[in-house]
Amino acid sequence: VKITGSLALILIVLFSAATLAINSYMKSSVDEYLIADEIAAKLDADCILILGAGLKPDGTPNYMLRDRLDKGIELYRDGAAPKLLLSGDNGQDRYDEVGAMRDYALEAGVPDQDIILDPAGFSTYESMCRARDIFLVDKAIIITQEYHQYRALYIARGLGIDAYGVPAKPMVYAGQKYRDAREILARDKDFLKIILKP
């Protein structure tokens, strides 16, 4: 029993060390692609890719998603890219994340012809795969919160997209500590996905 307990402890330590090492590697490997607004405006990207973040009970963008949309729309107005690619979850009739994102962009004055919807962006990995394979994106500016940018950029660049990230407005959202902890595990998961490319 003592040996089994010791072995379990060793495995836990090794797993924790690997998890933290992958997390650190992912962040450092894409840190240079996190850029400021003024640099983004000079990139001549194909699109500004705004990732979904959820809706309020009334069907409008939640605070995180609203901040992503505001930043993406701001960069669009600055001429950073000619199109907004809105990627989110529309897997059910009663939950239309991309529809709400489109309505928000339209209300902000973005012409409908400059808005492209990806209704099957069910995960960050799927959003990037579809950006490359369905929407033929070669160069993109990704908009999400900074804690999520590292994984989004790592996936995009691992799939061959020339991707750069501009973080949405820096603020603390409810439940952020849980989100940060969950993101470490998500980075490990997507690290493996980029190796296996399912």
Side-chain angles (χ1 to χ4, degrees):
V1 175
K2 186 177 181 180
I3 295 174
T4 303
S6 298
L7 181 59
L9 180 59
I10 291 170
L11 290 174
I12 290 170
V13 170
L14 289 175
F15 175 79
S16 299
T19 298
L20 295 175
I22 290 170
N23 178 65
S24 179
Y25 167 75
M26 184 177 288
K27 290 182 72 174
S28 64
S29 69
V30 296
D31 190 58
E32 66 183 293
Y33 302 108
L34 273 175
I35 59 173
D37 295 24
E38 56 269 22
I39 297 174
K42 301 174 183 178
L43 282 179
D44 193 27
D46 299 329
C47 69
I48 296 165
L49 172 52
I50 304 176
L51 299 172
L55 301 177
K56 295 179 183 178
D58 65 0
T60 60
N62 67 19
Y63 296 115
M64 288 186 74
L65 182 51
R66 182 200 62 198
D67 289 343
R68 294 180 189 187
L69 287 161
D70 286 343
K71 177 55 70 176
I73 292 165
E74 178 186 337
L75 290 174
Y76 167 83
R77 288 174 178 158
D78 289 343
K83 303 288 182 183
L84 295 180
L85 175 54
L86 310 179
S87 185
D89 183 351
N90 184 206
Q92 304 174 47
D93 290 337
R94 60 182 177 81
Y95 190 84
D96 185 4
E97 187 173 24
V98 291
M101 294 167 77
R102 174 180 174 272
D103 290 345
Y104 191 95
L106 287 172
E107 288 173 12
V110 179
D112 196 25
Q113 64 267 25
D114 289 345
I115 300 171
I116 302 167
L117 303 184
D118 173 14
F122 304 126
S123 71
T124 308
Y125 182 82
E126 287 169 298
S127 291
M128 299 309 165
C129 283
R130 289 173 59 79
R132 181 193 66 179
D133 298 339
I134 305 298
F135 302 100
L136 306 180
V137 173
D138 292 317
K139 189 173 189 177
I141 298 167
I142 298 171
I143 308 296
T144 184
Q145 276 71 25
E146 185 171 346
Y147 83 94
H148 184 217
Q149 278 284 8
Y150 300 102
R151 181 161 57 99
L153 285 168
Y154 187 85
I155 294 169
R157 300 193 74 86
L159 292 173
I161 299 172
D162 187 14
Y164 300 83
V166 177
K169 181 170 67 175
M171 64 174 288
V172 178
Y173 303 90
Q176 190 59 45
K177 287 185 178 179
Y178 166 76
R179 236 179 257 110
D180 290 338
R182 178 179 172 275
E183 186 66 13
I184 292 174
L185 296 176
R187 287 173 190 151
D188 282 45
K189 169 180 63 72
D190 285 332
F191 175 82
L192 293 175
K193 278 191 172 181
I194 288 302
I195 293 172
L196 300 173
K197 291 187 172 62

Short mmCIF file of all heavy atoms in Angstrom, two decimals, residues 29-79:
data_model
loop_
_atom_site.label_atom_id
_atom_site.label_comp_id
_atom_site.label_asym_id
_atom_site.label_seq_id
_atom_site.Cartn_x
_atom_site.Cartn_y
_atom_site.Cartn_z
N SER A 29 5.36 30.80 -26.42
CA SER A 29 5.58 30.58 -27.86
C SER A 29 4.76 31.52 -28.74
O SER A 29 5.09 31.71 -29.91
CB SER A 29 5.26 29.13 -28.22
OG SER A 29 3.88 28.86 -28.11
N VAL A 30 3.69 32.09 -28.20
CA VAL A 30 2.85 32.99 -29.02
C VAL A 30 2.78 34.41 -28.46
O VAL A 30 2.09 35.25 -29.01
CB VAL A 30 1.41 32.43 -29.17
CG1 VAL A 30 1.42 31.11 -29.92
CG2 VAL A 30 0.72 32.29 -27.83
N ASP A 31 3.52 34.68 -27.42
CA ASP A 31 3.45 35.98 -26.75
C ASP A 31 3.73 37.14 -27.72
O ASP A 31 3.11 38.19 -27.64
CB ASP A 31 4.42 36.01 -25.58
CG ASP A 31 4.23 37.24 -24.71
OD1 ASP A 31 3.12 37.43 -24.19
OD2 ASP A 31 5.19 38.02 -24.56
N GLU A 32 4.64 36.91 -28.66
CA GLU A 32 5.02 37.98 -29.59
C GLU A 32 3.90 38.34 -30.57
O GLU A 32 3.94 39.38 -31.22
CB GLU A 32 6.27 37.57 -30.39
CG GLU A 32 6.04 36.39 -31.32
CD GLU A 32 7.32 35.97 -32.04
OE1 GLU A 32 7.81 36.76 -32.87
OE2 GLU A 32 7.81 34.87 -31.75
N TYR A 33 2.90 37.47 -30.69
CA TYR A 33 1.80 37.71 -31.62
C TYR A 33 0.61 38.42 -30.98
O TYR A 33 -0.38 38.68 -31.64
CB TYR A 33 1.35 36.39 -32.26
CG TYR A 33 2.48 35.70 -32.99
CD1 TYR A 33 3.05 34.54 -32.48
CD2 TYR A 33 3.00 36.23 -34.16
CE1 TYR A 33 4.11 33.91 -33.13
CE2 TYR A 33 4.06 35.62 -34.82
CZ TYR A 33 4.61 34.46 -34.30
OH TYR A 33 5.66 33.85 -34.94
N LEU A 34 0.75 38.74 -29.69
CA LEU A 34 -0.22 39.61 -29.03
C LEU A 34 0.19 41.05 -29.33
O LEU A 34 1.29 41.47 -28.96
CB LEU A 34 -0.22 39.38 -27.52
CG LEU A 34 -1.12 38.28 -26.96
CD1 LEU A 34 -0.88 38.12 -25.48
CD2 LEU A 34 -2.57 38.60 -27.22
N ILE A 35 -0.66 41.79 -30.03
CA ILE A 35 -0.24 43.09 -30.54
C ILE A 35 -1.19 44.20 -30.12
O ILE A 35 -2.31 43.96 -29.67
CB ILE A 35 -0.14 43.05 -32.08
CG1 ILE A 35 -1.49 42.67 -32.70
CG2 ILE A 35 0.96 42.08 -32.53
CD1 ILE A 35 -1.54 42.77 -34.20
N ALA A 36 -0.72 45.42 -30.30
CA ALA A 36 -1.52 46.60 -29.97
C ALA A 36 -2.41 46.98 -31.16
O ALA A 36 -2.16 46.57 -32.30
CB ALA A 36 -0.58 47.76 -29.62
N ASP A 37 -3.42 47.78 -30.90
CA ASP A 37 -4.38 48.19 -31.92
C ASP A 37 -3.70 48.82 -33.13
O ASP A 37 -4.04 48.53 -34.28
CB ASP A 37 -5.37 49.20 -31.34
CG ASP A 37 -6.25 48.60 -30.26
OD1 ASP A 37 -5.84 47.61 -29.64
OD2 ASP A 37 -7.35 49.13 -30.05
N GLU A 38 -2.73 49.71 -32.88
CA GLU A 38 -2.12 50.45 -33.99
C GLU A 38 -1.31 49.54 -34.91
O GLU A 38 -1.21 49.79 -36.11
CB GLU A 38 -1.25 51.60 -33.46
CG GLU A 38 -0.16 51.20 -32.48
CD GLU A 38 -0.62 51.26 -31.02
OE1 GLU A 38 -1.84 51.20 -30.78
OE2 GLU A 38 0.25 51.37 -30.14
N ILE A 39 -0.77 48.45 -34.36
CA ILE A 39 -0.06 47.48 -35.20
C ILE A 39 -1.05 46.67 -36.01
O ILE A 39 -0.86 46.40 -37.20
CB ILE A 39 0.83 46.57 -34.33
CG1 ILE A 39 1.91 47.39 -33.62
CG2 ILE A 39 1.46 45.46 -35.18
CD1 ILE A 39 2.73 46.61 -32.63
N ALA A 40 -2.16 46.29 -35.38
CA ALA A 40 -3.20 45.51 -36.07
C ALA A 40 -3.73 46.26 -37.28
O ALA A 40 -4.03 45.66 -38.31
CB ALA A 40 -4.34 45.19 -35.10
N ALA A 41 -3.84 47.57 -37.17
CA ALA A 41 -4.40 48.38 -38.25
C ALA A 41 -3.52 48.36 -39.50
O ALA A 41 -3.97 48.71 -40.59
CB ALA A 41 -4.61 49.81 -37.78
N LYS A 42 -2.26 47.91 -39.36
CA LYS A 42 -1.32 47.90 -40.49
C LYS A 42 -1.06 46.50 -41.04
O LYS A 42 -0.22 46.33 -41.92
CB LYS A 42 0.00 48.53 -40.05
CG LYS A 42 -0.13 49.97 -39.57
CD LYS A 42 1.19 50.47 -39.02
CE LYS A 42 1.07 51.89 -38.45
NZ LYS A 42 2.34 52.38 -37.85
N LEU A 43 -1.78 45.50 -40.54
CA LEU A 43 -1.47 44.11 -40.90
C LEU A 43 -2.02 43.68 -42.25
O LEU A 43 -1.54 42.70 -42.83
CB LEU A 43 -2.01 43.16 -39.82
CG LEU A 43 -1.20 43.05 -38.53
CD1 LEU A 43 -1.90 42.10 -37.57
CD2 LEU A 43 0.21 42.57 -38.80
N ASP A 44 -3.05 44.33 -42.75
CA ASP A 44 -3.71 43.91 -43.99
C ASP A 44 -4.21 42.46 -43.86
O ASP A 44 -3.95 41.61 -44.72
CB ASP A 44 -2.76 44.05 -45.17
CG ASP A 44 -3.47 43.92 -46.51
OD1 ASP A 44 -4.68 44.23 -46.57
OD2 ASP A 44 -2.84 43.47 -47.49
N ALA A 45 -4.95 42.18 -42.79
CA ALA A 45 -5.47 40.83 -42.54
C ALA A 45 -6.70 40.56 -43.40
O ALA A 45 -7.37 41.48 -43.87
CB ALA A 45 -5.82 40.68 -41.06
N ASP A 46 -6.99 39.27 -43.58
CA ASP A 46 -8.20 38.88 -44.32
C ASP A 46 -9.46 39.23 -43.54
O ASP A 46 -10.47 39.62 -44.12
CB ASP A 46 -8.21 37.36 -44.58
CG ASP A 46 -7.03 36.91 -45.42
OD1 ASP A 46 -6.56 37.69 -46.26
OD2 ASP A 46 -6.59 35.76 -45.24
N CYS A 47 -9.39 39.03 -42.23
CA CYS A 47 -10.58 39.26 -41.41
C CYS A 47 -10.20 39.48 -39.96
O CYS A 47 -9.08 39.20 -39.54
CB CYS A 47 -11.54 38.06 -41.51
SG CYS A 47 -10.89 36.57 -40.72
N ILE A 48 -11.16 39.99 -39.24
CA ILE A 48 -11.09 40.08 -37.78
C ILE A 48 -11.98 38.97 -37.26
O ILE A 48 -13.19 38.98 -37.47
CB ILE A 48 -11.57 41.45 -37.29
CG1 ILE A 48 -10.63 42.55 -37.82
CG2 ILE A 48 -11.64 41.49 -35.76
CD1 ILE A 48 -11.20 43.96 -37.70
N LEU A 49 -11.38 37.99 -36.62
CA LEU A 49 -12.10 36.81 -36.13
C LEU A 49 -12.48 37.02 -34.67
O LEU A 49 -11.61 37.06 -33.79
CB LEU A 49 -11.22 35.57 -36.28
CG LEU A 49 -11.69 34.25 -35.67
CD1 LEU A 49 -13.10 33.91 -36.10
CD2 LEU A 49 -10.72 33.14 -36.00
N ILE A 50 -13.77 37.17 -34.42
CA ILE A 50 -14.27 37.38 -33.06
C ILE A 50 -14.88 36.08 -32.55
O ILE A 50 -15.80 35.53 -33.16
CB ILE A 50 -15.32 38.51 -33.03
CG1 ILE A 50 -14.75 39.80 -33.62
CG2 ILE A 50 -15.79 38.74 -31.59
CD1 ILE A 50 -15.74 40.94 -33.70
N LEU A 51 -14.35 35.57 -31.46
CA LEU A 51 -14.78 34.29 -30.90
C LEU A 51 -15.94 34.49 -29.92
O LEU A 51 -15.94 35.43 -29.12
CB LEU A 51 -13.62 33.61 -30.20
CG LEU A 51 -12.42 33.28 -31.10
CD1 LEU A 51 -11.24 32.77 -30.27
CD2 LEU A 51 -12.79 32.28 -32.16
N GLY A 52 -16.90 33.60 -29.98
CA GLY A 52 -18.06 33.66 -29.11
C GLY A 52 -17.70 33.48 -27.64
O GLY A 52 -16.67 32.90 -27.31
N ALA A 53 -18.57 33.98 -26.76
CA ALA A 53 -18.32 33.87 -25.32
C ALA A 53 -19.60 33.67 -24.52
O ALA A 53 -19.57 33.64 -23.31
CB ALA A 53 -17.59 35.11 -24.81
N GLY A 54 -20.74 33.56 -25.22
CA GLY A 54 -21.99 33.31 -24.50
C GLY A 54 -22.98 34.46 -24.57
O GLY A 54 -22.62 35.59 -24.90
N LEU A 55 -24.23 34.14 -24.24
CA LEU A 55 -25.31 35.11 -24.29
C LEU A 55 -25.96 35.27 -22.92
O LEU A 55 -25.90 34.36 -22.08
CB LEU A 55 -26.38 34.65 -25.29
CG LEU A 55 -25.94 34.44 -26.74
CD1 LEU A 55 -27.11 33.92 -27.57
CD2 LEU A 55 -25.38 35.72 -27.33
N LYS A 56 -26.58 36.40 -22.71
CA LYS A 56 -27.40 36.61 -21.52
C LYS A 56 -28.73 35.86 -21.69
O LYS A 56 -29.07 35.44 -22.81
CB LYS A 56 -27.70 38.10 -21.34
CG LYS A 56 -26.49 38.98 -21.05
CD LYS A 56 -26.95 40.43 -20.93
CE LYS A 56 -25.79 41.37 -20.72
NZ LYS A 56 -26.24 42.79 -20.66
N PRO A 57 -29.49 35.69 -20.62
CA PRO A 57 -30.80 35.02 -20.76
C PRO A 57 -31.73 35.66 -21.77
O PRO A 57 -32.58 34.99 -22.36
CB PRO A 57 -31.38 35.12 -19.33
CG PRO A 57 -30.18 35.19 -18.45
CD PRO A 57 -29.15 35.97 -19.22
N ASP A 58 -31.55 36.96 -22.02
CA ASP A 58 -32.43 37.63 -22.99
C ASP A 58 -31.95 37.46 -24.44
O ASP A 58 -32.53 38.02 -25.37
CB ASP A 58 -32.57 39.12 -22.65
CG ASP A 58 -31.25 39.89 -22.79
OD1 ASP A 58 -30.23 39.28 -23.15
OD2 ASP A 58 -31.26 41.11 -22.53
N GLY A 59 -30.85 36.69 -24.62
CA GLY A 59 -30.38 36.41 -25.97
C GLY A 59 -29.41 37.43 -26.54
O GLY A 59 -28.99 37.32 -27.70
N THR A 60 -29.00 38.41 -25.75
CA THR A 60 -28.02 39.39 -26.20
C THR A 60 -26.62 38.99 -25.71
O THR A 60 -26.49 38.19 -24.77
CB THR A 60 -28.37 40.80 -25.68
OG1 THR A 60 -28.37 40.77 -24.24
CG2 THR A 60 -29.73 41.23 -26.19
N PRO A 61 -25.54 39.51 -26.32
CA PRO A 61 -24.19 39.14 -25.91
C PRO A 61 -23.93 39.44 -24.44
O PRO A 61 -24.30 40.49 -23.93
CB PRO A 61 -23.30 40.02 -26.81
CG PRO A 61 -24.13 40.27 -28.03
CD PRO A 61 -25.53 40.39 -27.52
N ASN A 62 -23.27 38.49 -23.76
CA ASN A 62 -22.89 38.75 -22.37
C ASN A 62 -21.75 39.76 -22.34
O ASN A 62 -21.27 40.22 -23.38
CB ASN A 62 -22.55 37.43 -21.64
CG ASN A 62 -21.29 36.76 -22.18
OD1 ASN A 62 -20.46 37.38 -22.85
ND2 ASN A 62 -21.14 35.48 -21.89
N TYR A 63 -21.29 40.12 -21.14
CA TYR A 63 -20.31 41.19 -21.02
C TYR A 63 -18.99 40.85 -21.73
O TYR A 63 -18.39 41.71 -22.38
CB TYR A 63 -20.06 41.52 -19.55
CG TYR A 63 -21.28 42.07 -18.86
CD1 TYR A 63 -21.90 41.38 -17.82
CD2 TYR A 63 -21.84 43.29 -19.27
CE1 TYR A 63 -23.04 41.89 -17.19
CE2 TYR A 63 -22.97 43.79 -18.65
CZ TYR A 63 -23.57 43.09 -17.62
OH TYR A 63 -24.70 43.60 -17.03
N MET A 64 -18.54 39.61 -21.60
CA MET A 64 -17.30 39.21 -22.26
C MET A 64 -17.43 39.32 -23.78
O MET A 64 -16.54 39.84 -24.46
CB MET A 64 -16.92 37.79 -21.87
CG MET A 64 -16.43 37.63 -20.45
SD MET A 64 -15.84 35.95 -20.11
CE MET A 64 -14.30 35.96 -20.99
N LEU A 65 -18.53 38.81 -24.30
CA LEU A 65 -18.73 38.83 -25.74
C LEU A 65 -18.92 40.26 -26.25
O LEU A 65 -18.41 40.62 -27.32
CB LEU A 65 -19.94 37.97 -26.11
CG LEU A 65 -20.25 37.84 -27.61
CD1 LEU A 65 -19.02 37.42 -28.41
CD2 LEU A 65 -21.38 36.84 -27.82
N ARG A 66 -19.62 41.06 -25.49
CA ARG A 66 -19.81 42.47 -25.88
C ARG A 66 -18.46 43.17 -25.99
O ARG A 66 -18.22 43.92 -26.95
CB ARG A 66 -20.69 43.17 -24.85
CG ARG A 66 -21.00 44.63 -25.19
CD ARG A 66 -21.43 45.37 -23.94
NE ARG A 66 -20.36 45.38 -22.94
CZ ARG A 66 -20.55 45.63 -21.65
NH1 ARG A 66 -21.76 45.86 -21.19
NH2 ARG A 66 -19.52 45.63 -20.82
N ASP A 67 -17.57 42.91 -25.04
CA ASP A 67 -16.26 43.55 -25.08
C ASP A 67 -15.43 43.06 -26.27
O ASP A 67 -14.68 43.83 -26.88
CB ASP A 67 -15.50 43.29 -23.77
CG ASP A 67 -16.09 44.08 -22.60
OD1 ASP A 67 -16.85 45.04 -22.86
OD2 ASP A 67 -15.80 43.73 -21.44
N ARG A 68 -15.58 41.78 -26.62
CA ARG A 68 -14.90 41.27 -27.82
C ARG A 68 -15.44 41.95 -29.07
O ARG A 68 -14.68 42.37 -29.95
CB ARG A 68 -15.10 39.75 -27.92
CG ARG A 68 -14.43 38.97 -26.82
CD ARG A 68 -14.66 37.45 -26.97
NE ARG A 68 -14.19 36.74 -25.79
CZ ARG A 68 -14.13 35.43 -25.69
NH1 ARG A 68 -14.53 34.66 -26.69
NH2 ARG A 68 -13.67 34.85 -24.58
N LEU A 69 -16.75 42.05 -29.15
CA LEU A 69 -17.37 42.68 -30.31
C LEU A 69 -16.96 44.16 -30.43
O LEU A 69 -16.65 44.64 -31.53
CB LEU A 69 -18.89 42.55 -30.23
CG LEU A 69 -19.44 41.15 -30.49
CD1 LEU A 69 -20.86 41.01 -29.94
CD2 LEU A 69 -19.41 40.82 -31.98
N ASP A 70 -16.95 44.86 -29.32
CA ASP A 70 -16.57 46.28 -29.34
C ASP A 70 -15.15 46.45 -29.87
O ASP A 70 -14.89 47.34 -30.69
CB ASP A 70 -16.67 46.88 -27.93
CG ASP A 70 -18.12 47.13 -27.50
OD1 ASP A 70 -19.01 47.14 -28.38
OD2 ASP A 70 -18.34 47.29 -26.29
N LYS A 71 -14.23 45.59 -29.43
CA LYS A 71 -12.85 45.70 -29.89
C LYS A 71 -12.74 45.35 -31.37
O LYS A 71 -12.05 46.03 -32.14
CB LYS A 71 -11.94 44.78 -29.06
CG LYS A 71 -10.47 44.76 -29.52
CD LYS A 71 -9.84 46.14 -29.57
CE LYS A 71 -9.64 46.70 -28.18
NZ LYS A 71 -8.94 48.02 -28.24
N GLY A 72 -13.42 44.29 -31.79
CA GLY A 72 -13.38 43.90 -33.19
C GLY A 72 -13.96 44.97 -34.10
O GLY A 72 -13.40 45.27 -35.17
N ILE A 73 -15.07 45.55 -33.69
CA ILE A 73 -15.71 46.61 -34.48
C ILE A 73 -14.81 47.85 -34.54
O ILE A 73 -14.69 48.51 -35.58
CB ILE A 73 -17.10 46.95 -33.89
CG1 ILE A 73 -18.05 45.76 -34.11
CG2 ILE A 73 -17.67 48.22 -34.52
CD1 ILE A 73 -19.32 45.83 -33.27
N GLU A 74 -14.16 48.15 -33.44
CA GLU A 74 -13.23 49.29 -33.40
C GLU A 74 -12.10 49.08 -34.41
O GLU A 74 -11.75 50.00 -35.17
CB GLU A 74 -12.67 49.43 -31.99
CG GLU A 74 -11.65 50.54 -31.81
CD GLU A 74 -11.02 50.53 -30.42
OE1 GLU A 74 -11.64 49.98 -29.48
OE2 GLU A 74 -9.91 51.06 -30.29
N LEU A 75 -11.53 47.89 -34.46
CA LEU A 75 -10.45 47.61 -35.40
C LEU A 75 -10.96 47.61 -36.85
O LEU A 75 -10.25 48.05 -37.76
CB LEU A 75 -9.80 46.27 -35.07
CG LEU A 75 -8.98 46.22 -33.79
CD1 LEU A 75 -8.51 44.79 -33.51
CD2 LEU A 75 -7.79 47.15 -33.88
N TYR A 76 -12.17 47.12 -37.07
CA TYR A 76 -12.77 47.16 -38.40
C TYR A 76 -12.88 48.61 -38.88
O TYR A 76 -12.54 48.94 -40.02
CB TYR A 76 -14.14 46.49 -38.36
CG TYR A 76 -14.99 46.75 -39.59
CD1 TYR A 76 -14.82 45.98 -40.75
CD2 TYR A 76 -15.94 47.78 -39.59
CE1 TYR A 76 -15.58 46.25 -41.88
CE2 TYR A 76 -16.70 48.04 -40.72
CZ TYR A 76 -16.53 47.27 -41.86
OH TYR A 76 -17.27 47.54 -42.98
N ARG A 77 -13.34 49.48 -38.00
CA ARG A 77 -13.47 50.90 -38.36
C ARG A 77 -12.10 51.54 -38.64
O ARG A 77 -12.00 52.47 -39.44
CB ARG A 77 -14.16 51.66 -37.23
CG ARG A 77 -15.65 51.35 -37.10
CD ARG A 77 -16.22 52.01 -35.87
NE ARG A 77 -17.65 51.78 -35.73
CZ ARG A 77 -18.31 51.87 -34.58
NH1 ARG A 77 -17.66 52.18 -33.47
NH2 ARG A 77 -19.60 51.64 -34.54
N ASP A 78 -11.05 51.01 -37.97
CA ASP A 78 -9.70 51.53 -38.19
C ASP A 78 -9.07 50.98 -39.47
O ASP A 78 -7.94 51.33 -39.81
CB ASP A 78 -8.80 51.18 -37.00
CG ASP A 78 -9.17 51.99 -35.75
OD1 ASP A 78 -9.87 53.01 -35.88
OD2 ASP A 78 -8.76 51.58 -34.64
N GLY A 79 -9.79 50.08 -40.15
CA GLY A 79 -9.29 49.53 -41.40
C GLY A 79 -8.36 48.35 -41.26
O GLY A 79 -7.61 48.02 -42.19
#
